[in-house]
């Protein structure tokens, strides 16, 4: 269907639209219920905008996981196909997805590697610039055919127009013998739409290389962005362990050997590098090279534009410098108590003991990159730990505020054997995302669960134009949120630390589980606040015989921290749901299942959230962050903790409802949820009746039974029409109504304006009058003067 | 003997840094004293010491045993240094070659203690850094002749630049002291704020408790209707007070940070030395000219009202120019035009910039606070 929004013709690929999907962008934060078509709305709007206005602003669409990227690409593909059909001609349009080398590699031996790091390193060793030079010189080196074939093509037309999903890209690459990864990387400048992961934009180590050439007027969309602050923080934090230091020492040793070799064989290259550093030249293309070893971890604004300091200019000096720094860190790691200190105090201590100044430390990663390039190292994965240390050095020397060093000598409080870890944590999410807001004029942050919305602008420190939470329009109550605060015996249930292991609480949770397992058709998902608690409560249930009871109705499957086990469990779960046996999946609110895995239709009819999923508050990193938030952004500890817990709870609840023809029960089982009701997203909160906020297990079960009975009635798609799905005529009507309202508003505005104008005119006139008083001509002047003189 | 020392040293250094190279199964140097072969199993709190003469490690017991009766030779085979008990200390670094390097660096840094401010261009500074680094390298790992040369350079420099070194040392110490004090102050402030926040939270909780009790009491006493409005109003008032206190604190913080910024010394390259600027002729008014901008006084202005005085001997005296009179009359007529007192009152030109800054800081703090509430 086709319609206009503010004179912008929008082509929508589906014949029906949901009424939520009417909005227009700026710097905005949007919350839309899951399954109402966020992705396709945003895409169709922005594509329409792109095609309608001649400026052709580029769209950067960031999502979280591979599967979400792929989903967005498929949506885009459908959209473009529809547009072509509708418009009758094919538009000049190119959309690409980008993911890691591991997923896009075609090289016969490299693609078989398991770890992403190894793939990256091997790929670099086959495709780096100097490898090609060597090949041209006639030396016998291994190269990648797929990559070299790219050079034979026109550099701006590596791939024909159209939308390329990741699979499509792979197939195209296989057919034409060209590397999909580098095709995507090089074509990014010529694309209309790019879809990739957050990290390509937020992590300064990657963003500098990948996203540097994107122009200022790009439209940036962060989808599934409820965790964006954590992504920002992770991208700037590093952890250093004793093992990584040991390997870094070995790396430094290797580097020294290489330098000595080089000095004997090819003095010139080292000399060249040295000269370049003396001049303070930074190779124009250094940062942008696709194959560079590592990029500077700091953000572009904080980069020091200066020549490298004199005392690390020479290669051997630099290696000694690194060695000293590593030894210092090793010594610090020997301390057996917890230390937390700010970067300035760390630097002061460092200077006192090793005479390393702040400035050369800041240049560390840049200098290492330059050295690695000069030495033409190929087995780069050996230097990974060294690179980590260099990254840490640069970060600690660059940022004074918003970071903290925490040394934890023991893994847990009870551990006897020390295993020291030096966390360098970023506390301020705004630091990493700032360049994105600075560079791009329109940024859209959106997710299904982002309540309360005002928290995000506050934490990320940016102003918003639009900040909207859309509610859901439903023809029937298709989901039933409930808050269960008491067990059947009227004892309150809670997972707060004091009572969580009391037998009565555990038994009440158990009976809740059994009751809902009895009445729920097909699949049921249960979320616990942590792995630890899940394990202890399961073992207690086993002892009480509750699991046996549940077993009669449903299969029981458990999520574990191991990814493979979990995926096996998920597969079994889906089979059980499909063949009618039904299953219960026990999982953790911050685990893999709670993010990104959908339980639509029969896969999830009930989601049971046992306990408020608070973070582990004894973690020192979390404590530091809470304190930072209080001091800088005036967000109180408890506010942040409960915000964070509720967004995870909402994320869990959202798993079950993935569209308007879906239905499901949402049960929040904790006494404390009753007070946190306002923090749920608007669309859930709206559906939550007052009567359902303080239930006991038996009441909850009876109302759930009633709900399921209504849901069992036949439901035709026609019933939804005009309420939760709109056809063209409905849309027209809505637009007319909106238009009328708009006109009325405008009229009111105009009236106001007119009044203002009148007032302004009067003021202007008065001012004019006053001004004219001061204008005198010569004659008056003379007259005045004449008066002055007594005659 | 002195020629042998670096050799012995090197073996010690590599021995500690790269234990596998010697081929012998070496128990980690952390666990066994190389002199008396005691292992940590036998002596739990064994501690190792080194002497910066030769950097050979030995345990505390050995040091006491060997050097209690005055200076003695190093017990390591082939090392003939004479060591004193006073020289022993525990090593900061695990790698003793780094320990030695840092000791040398300490010496070099004490002599070459110029900072960036002492140089005119960045390039000079970088070159200086590199020469110092080269010299340090010669001292640490250079062959004997280069080491001697470096030593000589170091001593010569020390002799030549004695005053400068002393001055820089003092400046450096002062800067260190200042930064330490600043850090301590920041830490104190943070601690203070934390305590404050805790106290506030506590108070609010108590307050809530109290109002709840009061409410219950009033309900119990059966006073209908009026019982509820009172406490709530009190709470609102209190909250307002708390907000205003927070604003005051914020303003105070803004002022102190502003003061800090003022005190902060911005370091960088030294001003380039320039020749004194060419001086023009001396101007007593400092460049101010007295040509009126709004009008122009023509010489010999003809006006019937004043022409008659021009020739009146009663008005013309010696040393008095009649044009002076017209000029003054014009000046008085125009003085004060273009000055609007009302406007100035509004803008507040009378305040100085500092006060304005404080006001705006206060306003912004209020804004923040209001958003929170």
């Amino acid at each position: 269907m086709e319609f206009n929004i503010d004179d912008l013709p929008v082509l929508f690929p589906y014949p029906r639209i949901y009424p939520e999907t009417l909005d227009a962008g700026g710097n905005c934060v949007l919350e839309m219920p899951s399954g109402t078509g966020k992705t396709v709305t945003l895409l169709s709007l922005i594509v329409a905008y792109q095609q309608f206005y001649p400026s052709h602003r580029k769209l950067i669409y960031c999502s979280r996981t591979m599967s979400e990227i792929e989903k967005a690409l498929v949506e885009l593909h459908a959209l473009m196909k529809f547009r072509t059909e509708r418009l009758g001609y094919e538009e000049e349009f190119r959309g690409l997805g980008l993911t890691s080398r591991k997923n896009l590699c075609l090289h016969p031996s490299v693609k078989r590697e398991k770890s992403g790091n190894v793939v990256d390193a091997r790929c670099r060793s086959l495709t780096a610039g100097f490898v090609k030079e060597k090949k041209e010189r006639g030396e016998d080196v291994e190269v990648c055919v797929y990559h070299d074939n790219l050079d034979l093509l026109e550099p701006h037309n590596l791939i024909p127009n159209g939308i390329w999903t990741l699979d499509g890209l792979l197939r195209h690459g296989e057919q034409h013998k060209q590397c999909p990864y580098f095709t995507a990387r090089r074509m990014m400048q010529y694309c209309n739409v790019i879809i990739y992961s957050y990290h390509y934009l937020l992590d300064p180590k990657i963003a500098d290389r990948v996203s540097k050439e994107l122009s200022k007027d790009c439209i940036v969309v962060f989808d599934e962005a409820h965790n964006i602050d954590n992504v920002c923080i992770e991208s700037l934090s590093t952890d250093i362990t004793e093992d990584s230091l040991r390997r870094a020492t070995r790396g430094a040793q290797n580097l020294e050997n290489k330098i000595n070799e080089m000095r004997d064989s090819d003095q010139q290259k080292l000399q060249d590098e040295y000269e370049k550093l003396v001049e303070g030249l930074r190779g124009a293309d250094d940062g942008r090279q696709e194959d560079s070893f590592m990029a500077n971890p700091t953000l572009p604004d904080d980069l020091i534009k200066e020549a490298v300091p004199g005392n690390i200019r020479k290669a051997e000096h630099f290696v000694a410098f690194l060695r000293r720094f590593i030894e210092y860190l090793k010594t610090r790691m020997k301390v057996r108590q917890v230390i937390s200190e700010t970067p300035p105090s760390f630097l002061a201590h460092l200077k006192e003991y090793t005479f390393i100044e702040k400035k050369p430390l800041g240049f560390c990663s840049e200098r290492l990159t330059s050295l690695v390039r000069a030495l033409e190292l190929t087995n780069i994965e050996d230097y990974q730990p060294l690179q980590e240390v260099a990254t840490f050095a640069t970060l600690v020397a660059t940022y004074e505020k918003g970071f903290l060093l925490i040394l934890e000598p023991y893994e847990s409080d009870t551990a006897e054997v020390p295993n020291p870890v030096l966390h360098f944590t970023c506390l301020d999410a705004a630091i990493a995302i700032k360049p994105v807001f600075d560079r791009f004029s329109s940024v859209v942050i959106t997710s299904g669960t982002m309540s309360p919305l005002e928290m995000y602008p506050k934490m990320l420190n940016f102003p918003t134009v639009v900040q909207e939470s859309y509610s859901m329009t439903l023809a029937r109550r298709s989901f039933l949120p409930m808050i269960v605060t008491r067990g059947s015996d009227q004892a309150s249930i809670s997972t707060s630390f004091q009572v969580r292991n009391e037998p009565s609480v555990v038994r009440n949770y158990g009976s809740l589980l059994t009751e809902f397992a009895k009445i729920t058709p097909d699949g049921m998902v249960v979320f616990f606040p942590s792995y630890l608690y899940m394990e202890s409560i399961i073992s207690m249930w086993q002892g009480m015989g509750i699991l046996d009871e549940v077993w009669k109705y449903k299969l029981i499957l458990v999520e574990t921290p191991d990814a493979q086990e979990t995926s096996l469990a998920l597969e079994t779960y889906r089979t059980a749901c499909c063949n009618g046996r039904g299953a219960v999946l026990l999982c953790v609110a911050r685990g893999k299942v709670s993010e990104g895995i959908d339980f639509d239709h029969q896969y999830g009819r009930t989601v049971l959230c046992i306990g408020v999923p608070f973070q582990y508050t004894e973690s020192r990193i979390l404590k530091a962050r809470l304190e930072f938030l209080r001091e800088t952004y005036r967000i109180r500890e408890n506010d942040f903790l409960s915000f964070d817990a509720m967004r995870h709870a909402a994320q869990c609840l959202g798993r079950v409802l993935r569209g308007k023809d879906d239905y499901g029960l949402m049960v929040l089982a904790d006494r404390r949820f009753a007070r946190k009701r306002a923090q749920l997203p608007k669309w859930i909160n709206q559906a939550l009746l007052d009567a359902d906020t303080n239930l006991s297990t038996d009441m909850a079960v009876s109302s759930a039974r009633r709900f399921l009975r209504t849901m069992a009635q036949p439901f035709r798609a026609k019933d939804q029409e005009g309420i939760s799905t709109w056809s063209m005529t409905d849309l027209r009507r809505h637009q007319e109504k909106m238009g009328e309202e708009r006109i009325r508003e405008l009229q009111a505005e105009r009236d106001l304006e007119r009044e203002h104008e009148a007032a302004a005119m009067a003021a202007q006139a008065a001012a004019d009058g006053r001004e004219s008083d001061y204008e005198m001509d010569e004659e008056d002047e003379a007259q005045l003067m004449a008066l002055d003189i007594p005659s | 003997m002195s020629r042998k020392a670096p050799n012995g040293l090197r073996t010690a250094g590599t021995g500690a840094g790269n234990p596998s190279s010697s081929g012998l199964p070496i128990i980690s140097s952390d666990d066994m004293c190389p002199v008396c072969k005691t292992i940590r199993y036998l002596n739990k709190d064994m501690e190792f010491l080194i002497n910066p003469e030769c950097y050979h490690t030995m345990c505390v017991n050995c040091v006491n045993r060997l050097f209690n009766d005055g200076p003695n030779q190093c017990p390591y085979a082939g090392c003939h240094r004479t060591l004193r008990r006073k020289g022993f200390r525990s090593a900061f670094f695990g790698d003793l070659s780094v320990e030695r390097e840092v000791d040398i660096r300490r010496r070099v840094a004490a002599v070459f203690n110029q900072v960036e401010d002492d140089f005119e261009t960045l390039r000079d500074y970088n070159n200086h850094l590199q020469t110092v680094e080269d010299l340090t390298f010669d001292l640490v790992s250079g062959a004997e002749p280069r080491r001697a040369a470096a030593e000589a350079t170091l001593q010569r420099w020390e002799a030549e630049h004695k005053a400068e070194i002393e001055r820089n040392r003092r400046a450096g110490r002062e800067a260190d002291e200042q930064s330490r004090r600043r850090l301590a102050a920041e830490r104190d402030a943070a601690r203070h704020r934390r305590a404050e926040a805790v106290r506030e939270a506590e108070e609010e909780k108590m307050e809530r408790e109290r109002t709840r009790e009061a409410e219950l009491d009033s309900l119990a006493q059966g006073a209908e209707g009026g019982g509820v409005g009172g406490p709530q109003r009190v709470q609102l008032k209190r909250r307002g007070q708390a907000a205003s206190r927070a604003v005051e604190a914020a303003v105070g913080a803004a002022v102190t940070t502003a003061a800090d910024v003022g005190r902060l010394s911005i370091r960088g390259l030294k001003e380039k030395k320039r020749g004194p600027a060419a001086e023009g002729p001396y101007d007593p008014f400092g460049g101010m000219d007295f040509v009126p901008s709004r009008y122009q006084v023509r010489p010999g202005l003809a006006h019937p009202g004043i022409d008659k005085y021009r020739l009146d001997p009663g008005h013309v005296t010696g040393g008095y120019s009649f044009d002076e009179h017209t000029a003054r009359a014009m000046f008085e007529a125009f003085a004060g035009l273009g000055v609007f007192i009302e406007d100035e009152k509004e803008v507040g030109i009378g305040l100085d910039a500092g006060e304005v800054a404080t006001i705006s800081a206060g306003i912004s703090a209020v804004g923040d606070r209001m958003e929170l509430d």
Side-chain angles (χ1 to χ4, degrees), chain B residues 293-316:
Chain B
S293 57
R294 289 172 191 272
Y295 60 94
Q296 194 186 359
V297 185
R298 265 177 272 145
L301 177 77
H303 192 274
I306 52 173
D307 271 353
K308 58 180 176 186
Y309 298 108
R310 208 180 275 279
L311 301 171
D312 186 357
H315 283 84
V316 181

Side-chain angles (χ1 to χ4, degrees), chain A residues 32 107 177 204 343 399 427 441-442 449 466 501 532 569 581 596 684 726 740 757:
Chain A
M32 282 194 256
H107 190 274
K177 292 275 168 235
Y399 297 105
L427 305 173
S441 45
S442 3
T449 51
V466 184
N501 283 328
L532 212 67
R581 171 72 169 92
I684 296 181
W726 289 3
E740 269 169 32
E757 250 169 50

Side-chain angles (χ1 to χ4, degrees), chain A residues 274 278-279 306 309-311 313-314 317 324 327 331 353-355 627 631 778 785 789-791, chain B residues 92-93 95 101-102 105-106 122-123 126-127 130 133-134 193-194 298 303 306 309 330 340 372:
Chain A
Y274 170 73
V278 172
E279 291 304 322
E306 227 178 63
N311 48 1
R313 273 198 307 221
K314 280 194 179 173
H317 290 177
R324 221 159 356 126
E327 281 303 320
T331 308
Y353 282 93
T354 58
F355 300 94
E627 184 159 343
E631 296 243 313
E778 204 105 321
M785 238 172 352
I789 301 157
S791 43
Chain B
F92 181 79
F93 293 98
D95 186 345
E101 188 187 332
V102 167
R105 265 172 208 284
R106 184 167 295 127
L122 188 65
R123 185 135 192 193
N126 281 336
N127 287 340
Q130 197 189 335
E133 194 70 22
D134 276 334
R193 278 199 298 270
R194 202 174 316 143
R298 265 177 272 145
H303 192 274
I306 52 173
Y309 298 108
M330 290 295 284
F340 307 109
L372 263 183

